[in-house]
Amino acid sequence: MTQPQKKTRRQMLEEFVTAKPNDAFARYGLAMECANSGDVSAADQQFKTLLSAHPDYVAAYFQYGQYLARVGRTEEARSTLTAGITTARRTGDDHARSEMEAALAELI
């Protein structure tokens, strides 16, 4: 008798996002998993969906900006980090703001 195949972290996250599409943390986890596995189009889609539905999710701007920089999309990285800095300032997240400002300065 064969063992059932173990689900990957991405498959589990995809199932959770399907079941709870408005769960920001689950979608963030899926976006990060896609980014870390090198799936550029899926990472883009998940980060954009997350930020569209949850524009105050500051960590997503930082991680998406860093990801865009890693894949050579510097202008998009600058734009994403700048939007994140504005959001962090508005929401009072000084730690994330300073991290994004440092990341942005490295791109210039």
Side-chain angles (χ1 to χ4, degrees):
M1 191 183 266
T2 60
Q3 294 273 6
Q5 194 164 5
K6 187 176 178 185
K7 292 180 185 173
T8 65
R9 180 183 359 235
R10 180 169 172 174
Q11 288 170 325
M12 288 186 286
L13 288 164
E14 286 171 340
E15 287 176 6
F16 197 81
V17 166
T18 299
K20 294 182 180 264
N22 291 319
D23 186 305
F25 187 70
R27 188 164 304 273
Y28 175 76
L30 180 56
M32 291 299 295
E33 188 66 24
C34 293
N36 292 335
S37 69
D39 189 338
V40 176
S41 64
D44 273 339
Q45 177 191 355
Q46 295 304 326
F47 275 119
K48 287 175 180 176
T49 300
L50 172 61
L51 290 171
S52 174
H54 303 279
D56 288 346
Y57 204 94
V58 175
Y61 291 97
F62 181 51
Q63 292 299 329
Y64 190 35
Q66 286 190 311
Y67 173 70
L68 290 167
R70 273 196 314 273
V71 297
R73 292 162 56 187
T74 309
E75 286 306 313
E76 289 174 86
R78 282 190 187 110
S79 175
T80 300
L81 290 168
T82 300
I85 290 165
T86 300
T87 303
R89 190 173 287 129
R90 182 172 42 74
T91 61
D93 191 338
D94 291 332
H95 179 74
R97 179 191 47 77
S98 68
E99 285 186 329
M100 286 187 280
E101 287 173 345
L104 183 60
E106 290 179 16
L107 293 177
I108 296 172

